[in-house]
Structures are given as structure tokens and as C-alpha cells.
Amino acid sequence: PIPCVPCLLRLEGPPGLRGNPGPAGELVSWRPGKPGSPGKTGDLGPKGLKGTRGRRGQKGHRGEMGLPGRKGDQGEKGEVGTKGPPGLSGPKGESGPIGPMGMKGAEGPPGLPGLEGPPGPKGTNGATGPKGDSGPLGPPGPAGPPGELPLLPPDILFQRDSPKAYRRPKRDVRGDTSDGEVKSRPQKDSDVDLITVYTDIYNMRIELEKIKKPIGTRESPARTCQDLHYGHPQMKDGFYWIDPNLGMTDDAVKVYCNMSAGGETCVSPDVHASRMPNIPWRKSTEGWYSTLRGGFRISYDSLGPVQLTFLRLMSSEAHQNFTYTCINSAAWFDSRSGNHNNAIKLQGDNDDEFSPQTNKPNILLDGCKTKRAESKTVFEVRTQKLGQLPLVDFYPVDYGKPHQAFGFEVGPVCFK
């Protein structure tokens, strides 16, 4: 086909090079044209002069709370304020540790009367009263005991007292006389030896009488009070000396003899370890009385273990009382709880225990069961197992609360 010529003339080529500037045009009158579009913001100009103070503006809205400031310096101490109302009572705190023992307090009021003690020793003889009227002649008395062996024959005594007086010959003293002729001669050593023999015989008889029938003194102690009772039935209740092991009299012991009961031998505990008044004990942990702070073991050092052993060997039965004094504290039966959970335990010398469960003791009086006021409970331990007595310790239970207190008193242990 033949191309279209007009179409070829309308084809455009690429742009040509920039031409040279044309000549300046002629100045002709003109009028302002329309405002052009805003130009770009120019650079910041130099700081201008300070202008005049403007008018006070209106009060703005309340701003938001700012951040807390740093802590200021401590101010001066202010004046003491008025006393505020008392606060509520706080809970009871735990018990603090036991403090040191305080000073000895003032003497307290007299305690309750104690148990009736054994009769005291025989008092001194009173003044001689006026002579009474002669009574009627009594019946003849029983025959007296045999007379004592004289220390020395009268003739020997005469020779000793009067060396220059008449002296019998040695053969006469022996009962061997040859004739009726009496001679006077000086005393010889053989006569002195005969005096010594008589003296020794008499002293031996006195010692044998003391052994056969001791009289209960420090120099003549009996084995037991029952021996004294058999040898001297007329002896009354009182304190006498005994020596169960029959050794030297240096270890003889002074005891109370209950002659009314057939000659019971009663040994009391040491004075410093036999009683304690009512005291409000603090209860930290339970235990035997000897393990408590201020407690002790009941001791019998005045008798000693050796004499105690011999006394048991010569006895078949023993008994002893223990008194528990109380203030609002149960000792055996508790009437509030209706049981024996607060009962104390007693401990014997061989560590046997006396309680409601084992080796039940006799209750002579139970005043502590009501737990209302000051009272006492009396225990009696009577046994044929002689190793169980004397009592040496006890185990208290019901104590340590407000208005509670307890004490005790240990009676003598009696062997028969």
C-alpha cells in the first residue's frame, strides 16, 4: 500500500536543544496581575526589640496535679498534743522468760494450822509441891529385880580406902585360910591385880545389861523402837535413840517411838526438805517437783542409807502421810471436770509411783477437789513393800493459772 503523506508530516521527533535567549522586549504599560500563591516561609529573621506589655489575659482553666516534689528538710519539733483516748486492749502476749529471783519479801500472814505433830520430848521436872498428908499403908509390892553386882567386895574396898588399916592375907581373900592367926603385911601387886579383875567383871556385866535391855539413850541405843517396847513396856511415846546396824554408837539416830502402836519407829524427813507454803508457781513445762525452778527432792540425810536398809530388814510394814495444800488447785479428784486428770503422783524411794492408775494411795481428806478456796488433801501410803518408802518426790499437775497456788508437807515414815 502507499503511505499517507499527511500522516507522515504529523509525526513528532525528540525535543531539540535549548535556544539562545531572545532580545529584550519593549517596555510597555502594564497593570498588576492577580496575586500569586503564598511563597514558602522564609528564614527566621534577627531578634526584634522588646514590645510593650500586653493586656492581662483571662484566667485559665485549673491545670492537672503536678508530680510529687522531693522530700523537704525536717522541720522543728512541734508542741506536745493533747492526750488521745485510750486504745482497745490488744491480745494477750506470750509468757516471757522467768526473771531472776527477787529479793526476799516481807513476812506473810500466819498460815493455816498444820497437822497435829507427834508429842514432844518429856519436859523438865517442875518445882516440888508441898508435902501431902500420909496415905494409908498400901499392899506389898511385887518382888524387885535381882540386885546389882557390887563393884568390889567390902574388904577390898576397905583395903583401897584405908591402906594402913588391917588387911587380910591374899589366901584369905581367895577363901583359903590355914589358921585363925591374923597377920598384917604390906599390899602386894597380886592384890591390885585381883581388884582390877573384879572391876572388869563388873563393867562387863553393866555392858551386857545395856546390850540385853538398852534404854534408848545416845550411849545405849536400841535396834528399833519395838525392842525398846519389849524391854521396857512402861516407856511412853517420845524421842529415843536407835542404832539398827548395831555398830558403833557414833551413827545412832534420834527417832520418834510410837509406843502406843506397839513400838513403831518413825523417821522424819530433813527439816529443810519436808514442807513448802502455798506459792503461785509458774508453769513452763510439767515435771516432778524436784525439776521445777526452786523445787527440791525430799531427803532423809539424818537417817542415812545404811541405817535405813537395816531398819527395813527388821520391819514388815511401813506407812507415811503426804499433805498437799492448795488454793484453787486440785490434788486428787476434780469436781469441776468429774475425773482424776489433775491428780498428783507420788514417788517412792525405789522410783515406784502412787497414782489413781497404779499403787493407789489412801485418801484421808480431799479438800482440794472443789477448787474454791484454800484447803488441803491428805494422802496415806501404807505398804509391805518396804523399798517403796520413804516418799522422795511428787508430780503436780493443776497449777500455773491465775489465782492458783500449792504447797506440801511430808510426815514421818513409820516402820513396824
Side-chain angles (χ1 to χ4, degrees):
I2 299 173
C4 180
V5 175
C7 294
L8 293 174
L9 294 176
R10 284 196 293 265
L11 293 173
E12 293 180 3
L17 298 174
R18 185 182 182 96
N20 295 324
E26 294 179 0
L27 183 61
V28 292
S29 60
W30 61 275
R31 56 182 178 178
K34 295 179 181 180
S37 58
K40 295 181 180 180
T41 304
D43 296 333
L44 183 64
K47 186 175 181 180
L49 297 176
K50 184 176 180 180
T52 60
R53 183 181 182 90
R55 292 181 300 171
R56 183 181 182 89
Q58 294 181 357
K59 184 177 181 180
H61 298 290
R62 184 181 182 88
E64 296 179 359
M65 182 179 288
L67 298 174
R70 62 177 182 176
K71 186 176 180 180
D73 298 332
Q74 184 173 352
E76 296 181 359
K77 186 176 181 181
E79 298 180 357
V80 178
T82 57
K83 186 175 181 180
L88 300 176
S89 299
K92 184 177 180 181
E94 298 180 356
S95 300
I98 299 176
M101 185 175 293
M103 299 177 63
K104 184 177 180 181
E107 185 175 355
L112 294 176
L115 299 176
E116 183 177 355
K122 184 178 179 180
T124 57
N125 294 330
T128 305
K131 185 176 181 181
D133 299 332
S134 299
L137 185 64
E148 298 288 347
L149 180 68
L151 181 62
L152 293 173
D155 51 350
I156 301 297
L157 290 173
F158 180 78
Q159 291 182 18
R160 293 186 66 186
D161 295 339
S162 303
K164 296 182 180 181
Y166 160 79
R167 297 181 177 87
R168 293 171 58 188
K170 176 180 177 183
R171 294 175 64 186
D172 292 346
V173 174
R174 295 179 178 176
D176 184 14
T177 56
S178 57
D179 53 13
E181 182 181 359
V182 177
K183 298 181 181 179
S184 177
R185 61 178 180 80
Q187 186 179 20
K188 296 182 179 179
D189 293 340
S190 58
D191 298 327
V192 179
D193 293 341
L194 188 59
I195 296 172
T196 303
V197 171
Y198 270 89
T199 304
D200 292 343
I201 292 174
Y202 178 76
N203 290 337
M204 289 173 61
R205 178 172 178 179
I206 296 298
E207 294 299 324
L208 288 174
E209 284 294 323
K210 289 183 179 179
I211 295 175
K212 184 178 178 181
K213 290 184 178 182
I215 58 178
T217 61
R218 181 69 182 268
E219 295 76 20
S220 178
R223 288 191 313 166
T224 63
C225 292
Q226 193 172 48
D227 287 2
L228 275 178
H229 181 66
Y230 288 160
H232 308 277
Q234 75 281 3
M235 282 187 170
K236 305 295 182 182
D237 297 346
F239 289 92
Y240 299 91
W241 289 85
I242 65 168
D243 186 15
N245 65 0
L246 286 182
M248 299 293 292
T249 59
D250 295 344
D251 60 350
V253 184
K254 192 174 185 180
V255 298
Y256 181 80
C257 292
N258 188 359
M259 300 301 186
S260 303
E264 288 185 345
T265 303
C266 299
V267 181
S268 297
D270 299 331
V271 176
H272 66 277
S274 63
R275 63 193 318 170
M276 176 63 69
N278 286 331
I279 294 177
W281 293 82
R282 189 177 286 179
K283 190 176 186 179
S284 54
T285 56
E286 289 189 359
W288 293 97
Y289 177 75
S290 59
T291 64
L292 302 182
R293 182 182 178 90
F296 49 83
R297 191 175 173 88
I298 304 166
S299 60
Y300 302 82
D301 295 336
S302 59
L303 180 63
V306 176
Q307 296 286 37
L308 178 59
T309 301
F310 276 87
L311 189 57
R312 286 172 176 153
L313 292 174
M314 292 180 288
S315 305
S316 59
E317 183 182 354
H319 64 90
Q320 187 176 16
N321 286 4
F322 180 90
T323 302
Y324 181 92
T325 59
C326 58
I327 298 178
N328 303 321
S329 172
W332 186 249
F333 182 76
D334 191 341
S335 59
R336 295 186 181 180
S337 60
N339 52 44
H340 293 84
N341 293 342
N342 288 328
I344 70 171
K345 295 187 293 185
L346 304 176
Q347 186 181 61
D349 192 42
N350 62 351
D351 293 338
D352 282 358
E353 297 180 4
F354 301 88
S355 67
Q357 292 77 28
T358 58
N359 300 320
K360 185 177 179 181
N362 301 322
I363 308 301
L364 305 183
L365 173 68
D366 193 7
C368 297
K369 63 181 178 180
T370 59
K371 297 178 62 173
R372 292 182 179 176
E374 189 170 2
S375 189
K376 62 183 177 181
T377 296
V378 182
F379 300 82
E380 182 195 46
V381 176
R382 189 175 292 270
T383 178
Q384 294 181 349
K385 298 178 181 179
L386 302 181
Q388 293 179 333
L389 292 181
L391 299 173
V392 296
D393 210 342
F394 70 100
Y395 195 111
V397 178
D398 189 18
Y399 69 98
K401 298 178 182 177
H403 311 295
Q404 280 190 322
F406 75 85
F408 69 93
E409 182 175 352
V410 187
V413 54
C414 296
F415 294 90
K416 184 178 180 180

